[in-house]
Amino acid sequence: YRKYEINANVVLDPTFILHAEHWRRLEIRANNCPQKFVFVYFLNSNNNYKESVVHCVKSFDDEIEIVGISANNLNAQWMKQLTGIGPREFLWLIDNAEAVITDSYHGTIFSLLFHKIFLTIKRFDDDSPICQNSRIYQLNKYFSLEKNICDINRPMEFNREFDYQEFEKRLKVLRKKSIDFLREALE
């Protein structure tokens, strides 16, 4: 911040520091999960995502199910709402889904790490006093996620052409920069 003459460095979220293989070693299969599924993970308890999600998932074959975790219990009426899911099952669900739809920052991060087809719904209005969209916008700045971030008021469509080779190149540079800064700061 120039106003206070402080040089503030932005580093990656700690979940990006570890490679996908490290996270995969922690996974545990979620119980009662179908063979093919789209995983939805929603933190917004007032969400009204049903119509958009169902429409978007229709781009997959008829054999696919929508399973997920939602802060809105009404979502259990149109998806298989999972219970008893801990962090290890959460990782497995993202890693093994055909696609992911989330309004979560970390749901987005793990979708990227596991190279998934995914959509991130903006959970907050940009002018909301509790808005946390800046974290998603920072990911967009790093990894060009424009086609993966959607506003619920617009039609949603999966971006099946996200360039994960380019993502890995950028992540490698950002990971090194973050680790170097943290090492220097701790010394």
Side-chain angles (χ1 to χ4, degrees):
Y1 297 121
R2 290 188 179 146
K3 182 177 179 180
Y4 299 105
E5 297 181 21
I6 297 172
N7 183 16
N9 289 301
V10 177
V11 296
L12 286 175
D13 185 271
T15 51
F16 274 128
I17 300 299
L18 296 177
H19 296 264
E21 303 81 49
H22 294 283
W23 293 111
R24 284 189 173 108
R25 287 187 217 134
L26 300 174
E27 292 178 6
I28 295 176
R29 181 180 173 81
N31 291 330
N32 301 319
C33 211
Q35 186 72 22
K36 290 177 70 176
F37 62 94
V38 171
F39 177 58
V40 297
Y41 178 56
F42 302 137
L43 297 177
N44 180 351
S45 60
N46 295 319
N47 77 64
N48 187 15
Y49 302 153
K50 176 188 175 183
E51 186 178 318
S52 298
V53 170
V54 170
H55 175 76
C56 191
V57 171
K58 284 183 182 177
S59 65
F60 285 92
D61 64 52
D62 292 336
E63 300 296 315
I64 203 149
E65 290 186 51
I66 302 171
V67 302
I69 303 167
S70 178
N72 183 340
N73 291 329
L74 295 176
N75 288 340
Q77 297 171 359
W78 59 271
M79 71 174 182
K80 181 177 182 177
Q81 193 147 329
L82 303 172
T83 58
I85 302 298
R88 298 174 80 181
E89 292 87 359
F90 174 77
L91 292 170
W92 184 90
L93 286 161
I94 292 177
D95 195 19
N96 289 276
E98 299 293 317
V100 177
I101 303 174
T102 187
D103 63 5
S104 157
Y105 176 68
H106 287 97
T108 302
I109 288 175
F110 285 111
S111 296
L112 286 163
L113 286 171
F114 293 141
H115 294 192
K116 304 311 295 184
I117 297 169
F118 76 95
L119 282 173
T120 300
I121 300 169
K122 291 196 299 183
R123 188 165 81 225
F124 301 95
D125 292 328
D126 285 328
D127 58 356
S128 169
I130 61 167
C131 180
Q132 297 175 17
N133 292 340
S134 63
R135 298 187 309 163
I136 297 298
Y137 298 151
Q138 184 67 41
L139 291 179
N140 181 39
K141 182 178 173 185
Y142 288 153
F143 304 118
S144 302
L145 302 179
E146 295 87 5
K147 293 181 181 176
N148 297 79
I149 300 170
C150 57
D151 187 326
I152 195 58
N153 299 322
R154 295 187 180 164
M156 294 178 2
E157 187 175 314
F158 285 117
N159 174 16
R160 296 171 186 260
E161 297 175 13
F162 186 78
D163 186 347
Y164 276 108
Q165 285 185 329
E166 181 63 26
F167 163 76
E168 287 295 336
K169 287 180 194 174
R170 291 179 183 182
L171 179 58
K172 184 177 180 179
V173 170
L174 291 165
R175 188 180 276 146
K176 181 182 180 334
K177 181 180 172 185
S178 295
I179 291 170
D180 289 349
F181 172 79
L182 292 170
R183 278 193 179 125
E184 185 179 319
L186 292 172
E187 290 175 356

